Amino acid sequence: MKDRERRADSNVSTVEEFVLLGFSDLPDIQGFLSGMFSIIYIIILTGNSLIIIITMADPTLQKPMYFFLGNFSFLEICYVSVTLPRILFSLCTRDRTMSVPACATQLCFFLILGTNESFLLGVMSYDRYVAICNPLHYPLVMNPTKCIQLSAVAWLSAMPVHIGLTCHIFSLHFCHSNQIDHFFCDIPPIIKLACGDTFLYELSVYIVAALCGVVPFWLVLASYSKIISTILRLSTAQGRGKAFSTCSSHLLVVILFYGSASITYFRPKSSHSARLDKLFSLFYTIFTPMMNPLIYSLRNKEVIIALRTLIFKS
């Protein structure tokens, strides 16, 4: 594999393309990995597409909760499509090279869509808060216009921030190597390749992560603290069970997403290892999007009924 580089005037070797090492340290199971990831991708596309179809077509699911769920499923398809097709391409062709602009583009979309997911989870928790804690005002507060506005904010607000952050990171000189020990272009392995002091770059990453990840997470925590408090005050066990069932699926998805992402990005730099980073990244980039349709369908009676109706009609 040929590593192309060009010489800058300062005798710093500036990389023109990267090599994604991915799973190259497992040469004996490349075929198995390719088949497994292909099946996972099909499951993700099928499961999330079914959620989108039933939330749009079934009259009983024309509610704010399912409007956001349809948005979330579409977001999951976009999110996983940033990384998984490239993984499959590398496994099938053994071509692991990626140009610097392509790497920057992948990173930018990955950050934007990951932040969109964080914001949308926050919006969905706010929806559950209003539904359970202020049920009489719910139709007024979560009207169609408000739902579209909240969805637009979740989708669009991260774009300028992460375009700027990506440009900031790729203004670095990469002189240590052009080999990224990961299966996609992610911030920690890219910064490892930079020469010179990267403290300010790492600080900017932590600030953006705090704004785009921690703030929505605190919104989720605040919403669910109010929700749990309200549920516990309900007089009947049946009422408590019904109220909790409407938000338990979302809470499980929140734990899976924020748990794995925070372990990946907020661990001390000294504790980072390539194998662990790949494992945690697989969890929140591939495993969680695969599990979400199952979590929402198996734990939601309305979704199960809508799926049965769709299947029997077809």
Side-chain angles (χ1 to χ4, degrees), residues 68-76 117 120-121 124 253 292:
F68 293 124
L69 179 56
N71 270 264
F72 190 72
S73 293
F74 180 68
L75 177 57
E76 291 285 55
E117 186 160 340
L120 197 53
L121 286 171
M124 292 168 78
V253 170
N292 285 348

Side-chain angles (χ1 to χ4, degrees), residues 171-193:
S171 67
L172 285 162
H173 289 290
F174 303 103
C175 58
H176 292 160
S177 171
N178 71 336
Q179 296 186 341
I180 298 175
D181 197 0
H182 213 319
F183 55 84
F184 72 100
C185 291
D186 199 7
I187 291 175
I190 290 174
I191 289 182
K192 279 183 183 178
L193 304 183

Side-chain angles (χ1 to χ4, degrees), residues 5-112:
E5 300 175 338
R6 59 181 168 80
R7 289 279 171 182
D9 293 336
S10 59
N11 283 334
V12 175
S13 188
T14 305
V15 173
E16 287 187 345
E17 67 178 17
F18 292 112
V19 178
L20 294 170
L21 297 182
F23 305 100
S24 58
D25 56 337
L26 303 170
D28 297 332
I29 60 169
Q30 297 288 295
F32 168 76
L33 290 173
S34 177
M36 181 184 71
F37 286 132
S38 296
I39 293 169
I40 289 173
Y41 194 37
I42 291 169
I43 291 171
I44 291 170
L45 293 178
T46 304
N48 284 289
S49 296
L50 281 173
I51 296 290
I52 294 169
I53 291 168
I54 63 172
T55 54
M56 292 178 65
D58 196 293
T60 63
L61 301 185
Q62 303 305 305
K63 303 173 185 177
M65 174 182 174
Y66 299 109
F67 170 77
F68 293 124
L69 179 56
N71 270 264
F72 190 72
S73 293
F74 180 68
L75 177 57
E76 291 285 55
I77 291 173
C78 297
Y79 181 60
V80 80
S81 295
V82 172
T83 55
L84 198 43
R86 175 65 215 195
I87 295 171
L88 291 171
F89 175 80
S90 297
L91 288 170
C92 293
T93 65
R94 308 296 172 91
D95 181 5
R96 298 185 175 88
T97 59
M98 180 181 274
S99 68
V100 172
C103 185
T105 302
Q106 185 188 52
L107 175 63
C108 188
F109 275 103
F110 175 76
L111 294 174
I112 289 171

Side-chain angles (χ1 to χ4, degrees), residues 67-250:
F67 170 77
F68 293 124
L69 179 56
N71 270 264
F72 190 72
S73 293
F74 180 68
L75 177 57
E76 291 285 55
I77 291 173
C78 297
Y79 181 60
V80 80
S81 295
V82 172
T83 55
L84 198 43
R86 175 65 215 195
I87 295 171
L88 291 171
F89 175 80
S90 297
L91 288 170
C92 293
T93 65
R94 308 296 172 91
D95 181 5
R96 298 185 175 88
T97 59
M98 180 181 274
S99 68
V100 172
C103 185
T105 302
Q106 185 188 52
L107 175 63
C108 188
F109 275 103
F110 175 76
L111 294 174
I112 289 171
L113 292 170
T115 303
N116 290 350
E117 186 160 340
S118 178
F119 286 174
L120 197 53
L121 286 171
V123 169
M124 292 168 78
S125 69
Y126 174 72
D127 170 70
R128 291 299 82 209
Y129 159 74
V130 178
I132 293 172
C133 300
N134 298 289
L136 297 178
H137 296 107
Y138 183 63
L140 181 64
V141 175
M142 299 304 292
N143 59 70
T145 302
K146 184 70 168 290
C147 290
I148 292 170
Q149 289 172 344
L150 289 172
S151 179
V153 169
W155 275 95
L156 301 174
S157 56
M159 285 186 181
V161 175
H162 287 304
I163 290 172
L165 181 63
T166 302
C167 293
H168 186 53
I169 290 171
F170 279 86
S171 67
L172 285 162
H173 289 290
F174 303 103
C175 58
H176 292 160
S177 171
N178 71 336
Q179 296 186 341
I180 298 175
D181 197 0
H182 213 319
F183 55 84
F184 72 100
C185 291
D186 199 7
I187 291 175
I190 290 174
I191 289 182
K192 279 183 183 178
L193 304 183
C195 45
D197 185 11
T198 60
F199 172 76
L200 290 178
Y201 292 88
E202 292 174 33
L203 180 63
S204 66
V205 170
Y206 277 112
I207 292 171
V208 171
L211 291 173
C212 297
V214 176
V215 171
F217 181 65
W218 278 110
L219 174 61
V220 172
L221 284 181
S223 298
Y224 273 101
S225 64
K226 288 283 189 180
I227 288 169
I228 293 170
S229 175
T230 302
I231 290 174
L232 292 176
R233 288 201 303 267
L234 294 176
S235 57
T236 63
Q238 184 180 4
R240 288 193 294 271
K242 185 178 180 181
F244 188 72
S245 68
T246 63
C247 59
S248 58
S249 300
H250 177 255

